Amino acid sequence: MGFIDARELPDGHTVETDVCIVGAGAAGLALASALSSGTGGARVLLVESGGFEHDDHTQYLHQGQVVGREYPLGISRLRYFGGTTNHWGGNVRPLDAIDMEPRPWVPHSGWPITRAELDPYYERALAFLGLPDDAFELEAWTDGKACRPWELEAELAETEIFPAVAPELRQLGAVRRASIEESANVDVLLHANVLEFETDDPPRAVRAVRVATLQDERFRVQARLFVLATGGIENARLLLLSSSVASAGLGNDHDLVGRYFADHLVIPPVGDLWLSDPELPLDLYLERARANATGRAMGRAIFRLPDGVQREQRLQNCGVQLGPTMPLDVAIRRGKAFRSLDYAWRAVQEGDLPDDFHYHVANVIADVDELVAGGYRLASYRAAYPTWHVDLIAVAEPAPNPESRVRLGDERDPLGQRRIVLDWRLSPSDQDSVRRSTDLLAAAFALAGIGRVRVQMPEGGLDWFRPSPHMHHLGTTRMADDPKSGVVDRNCRVHGIENLWIAGSSVFPTYGHVNPTFTILALAFRLGDHLRGVLA
Amino acid sequence: MTTPFAVRRRDVLRLLAALGGAGFGAGAGVGAGAQAEAASRETLVAARVRLRLVSPESASLLGAAYLRDRPDEDSPAHLAVALGLDAGATDIAAIAARHRDDLRSGRVHRLDGFGFSRTELRLCALLYLTDRA
Ligand SMILES: Cc1cc2nc3c(=O)[nH]c(=O)nc-3n(C[C@H](O)[C@H](O)[C@H](O)COP(=O)(O)OP(=O)(O)OC[C@H]3O[C@@H](n4cnc5c(N)ncnc54)[C@H](O)[C@@H]3O)c2cc1C
């Protein structure tokens, strides 16, 4: 079993399988892994648009039109095996429990499932990414000395760890390739662009997907079960394009497909923190590496307001991280020599020699002049400016907004498919919530004697509010028990269609402040369990 | 509230240093000489605060900026009431508690983007007015 090049299939051919997963990015790969055993021999076929490498012609299929708020459609998703994990940052954290609860002050909020239901699947996601079991435990990242959390009053502000997958484990396509090759029941069809879901009439079940290569060979894939896992924008697009029978698009009886498009809001900086003590330890809040069984993990701590404060103040969730303390500091920290030294030193402290010790020694030796010169410059900079400040960068949760949406435009891609139009919008509460959260965090810092924050967000309406998108595509096929409120049900099945499920962040009805992929993976593992039940 | 006055970062940092980082620490020691000098509660408190300040001028500057935003508070008597001095709160610990309470409940005034508790700015204002007197 393994990889099949769709360009070698005969035109008009029909491929048969049991489970057809459309898209081999984070969601599709995790689901395939979940279904690679315990399915009673059911065959799984991943149908992927790209090949193993980036290719401009395939990527071009992703283009669309942006109206309203600017959005980087091009670089925010990648169309080849491994999907957007081919250049993601690897930062992971579970949603907070409050993110999944209905919050009366956040219209349209709440998931039909709880955080506790996701917990066991988050554990599987950790293992899938090669992260240690204690990746989210603060103590595991501290040394009680320079690397320790600030002493904030627990009911006012929290420090939490934001780990990142080790760089060598981030490209999930490359990482999973061997296990797919060895798998007894999982195949991948590469260079295969799904064009549409074919359904019965009336549309109660999917019969097949219509597929085309860029060379315009056309064929079909028939399966018992179908899963759409093409990313937060393309998931909506493919449902809308599947309009041969359901004229408004599949699962779109209530005009919800494509609506509620959201992204996390990055606001750099919301303020700068003037430290009362220049010796205050910052290490935990800056990027750092830690040895672990499968290689290494990266991590940094961020700040957040506790659930109680969010409830009382009627806030949306928001995470705040320390920005670069000074350009020099960052330049040195980002340098290969510093990172290798830091990594090897920590491993030695933990009583280990890293496997690739020689590689790290070589890095240090090769760049020793940079390390020494940088260290000297840094030391003299600090001596000259003993009291310095740090930027506060916020990543904020937007409120679900039905007017923020993906729809089909009139332009067509080379396969004749209508391209999308993205109309990304914010809500007035988005900026108000970030502003008030910053004020509360500033008060927590002042009370703890950490320092004072100079807030850099003027008061006022949305017109000045220019957050950058985080490039997370959320909400376009949201989950709800009631078909009038959501596209998929609590098991991620498209309402009204008996054999079509969706994997990915398009199912998030509310978004939290954390990056989505960890939850995408947890949901994929949960879906895997569910589909195993359906197959049985 | 904002002010056209640009707070110098140095002043904020000096005030911070003066307030012991954590704002007003409890149990401020006050010399007997200062007490003897004090003619009224306001001046007593101002004198106590001054003793703790690394840079009373910085605090005074912030006080002046606050009063520009809040001219309605431009009198020692008014500030004394606002700080609870009329109720006998002359020890710094009581005022420190008030300052912390302000920060907790968002009674914050902004000077050039920096958020200060109303209590600390009123103290600064008192300092400014007593300096001027
Ligand atoms: C620069 C950047 C940094 C990021 N950093 C982080 C981070 O640090 N942490 C985090 O959690 N998230 C991060 N993300 C987001 C993360 O990459 C996505 O959440 C994640 O990749 C989504 O997984 P997915 O499987 O739903 O979609 P994708 O990974 O985009 O995969 C979709 C797959 O579907 C295929 N496909 C699309 N259309 C079709 C079609 N019609 N037929 C067949 N196949 C199709 C694509 O080729 C692709 O392989 C980042 C994103 C960007 C752009």
Side-chain angles (χ1 to χ4, degrees), chain A residues 132-149:
Chain A
D133 293 347
D134 61 359
F136 300 115
E137 282 164 31
L138 203 50
E139 300 72 40
W141 295 87
T142 58
D143 62 8
K145 289 176 263 171
C147 190
R148 62 184 151 86

Side-chain angles (χ1 to χ4, degrees), chain A residues 366-408:
Chain A
D367 280 343
V368 76
D369 50 338
E370 176 210 297
L371 199 64
V372 172
Y376 175 76
R377 284 200 309 273
L378 190 60
S380 37
Y381 185 98
R382 282 195 177 151
Y385 304 97
T387 314
W388 34 276
H389 71 279
V390 287
D391 281 348
L392 298 178
I393 296 166
V395 176
E397 175 186 37
N401 180 346
E403 301 311 320
S404 178
R405 66 186 295 197
V406 171
R407 55 186 165 77
L408 295 179

Side-chain angles (χ1 to χ4, degrees), chain A residues 153 274 435 439 449 452 455, chain B residues 9 21 100 104 110 113 120:
Chain A
E153 287 184 38
W274 288 78
R435 164 92 201 198
D439 285 345
R452 295 302 168 99
V455 178
Chain B
R9 289 170 180 179
R100 299 176 72 77
R104 274 177 212 288
R110 207 166 289 290
E120 66 189 324

Side-chain angles (χ1 to χ4, degrees), chain A residues 454, chain B residues 3-9 11 61-62 65 68 111-112 114:
Chain A
R454 180 182 167 114
Chain B
T3 168
F5 170 83
V7 172
R8 285 178 307 172
R9 289 170 180 179
D11 297 325
L61 213 71
L62 290 170
R68 265 197 291 276
L111 289 179
D112 206 29
F114 286 105

Side-chain angles (χ1 to χ4, degrees), chain A residues 11 70 73 105 111 169 178 208 238 242 254 284 356 362 367 426 496:
Chain A
D11 205 21
E70 258 176 61
L73 262 185
W105 62 95
W111 292 55
L169 297 179
L238 267 175
S242 301
H254 300 282
L284 187 65
D356 40 5
D367 280 343
L426 304 182

Side-chain angles (χ1 to χ4, degrees), chain A residues 169-185:
Chain A
L169 297 179
R170 278 185 202 160
Q171 291 183 298
L172 295 183
V175 172
R176 307 307 304 175
R177 192 166 159 180
S179 64
I180 289 177
E181 266 158 7
E182 285 160 18
S183 160
N185 69 327

Side-chain angles (χ1 to χ4, degrees), chain A residues 248-266:
Chain A
L250 216 50
N252 199 25
D253 292 353
H254 300 282
D255 186 24
L256 288 169
V257 173
R259 288 193 183 270
Y260 296 94
F261 172 83
D263 193 351
H264 294 120
L265 311 173
V266 186

